[in-house]
Amino acid sequence: GETLACGTGACAVFATLSKILPRQDLGNPNEINLEFTGGKLFLSHNEQDHVILRGPATFVFEGYI
């Protein structure tokens, strides 16, 4: 089913948009905000062009094997 937010997917979207669109087309050239059911995630690049993900983290599952 649907997850509340997907950090991996958010990073993939940001990385793809960054390569396809000029940074000025993303609004703020240094950061974008993606809104999910579980809240907002903030993505940016650092000096080495690595994707940085920030946002809330919430414990939603516990399991045992």
Side-chain angles (χ1 to χ4, degrees), residues 9-28:
C11 289
V13 167
F14 182 63
T16 301
L17 286 175
S18 297
K19 300 300 179 204
I20 293 173
L21 298 174
R23 292 201 180 174
Q24 64 270 15
D25 289 348
L26 294 175
N28 179 344

Side-chain angles (χ1 to χ4, degrees), residues 14-60:
F14 182 63
T16 301
L17 286 175
S18 297
K19 300 300 179 204
I20 293 173
L21 298 174
R23 292 201 180 174
Q24 64 270 15
D25 289 348
L26 294 175
N28 179 344
N30 299 316
E31 180 175 83
I32 66 167
N33 305 326
L34 296 177
E35 194 162 335
F36 292 89
T37 305
K40 289 184 180 180
L41 296 177
F42 306 93
L43 294 106
S44 60
H45 286 107
N46 66 11
E47 296 79 24
Q48 294 80 30
D49 210 29
H50 296 154
V51 175
I52 305 299
L53 171 66
R54 296 182 298 109
T58 304
F59 184 80
V60 296

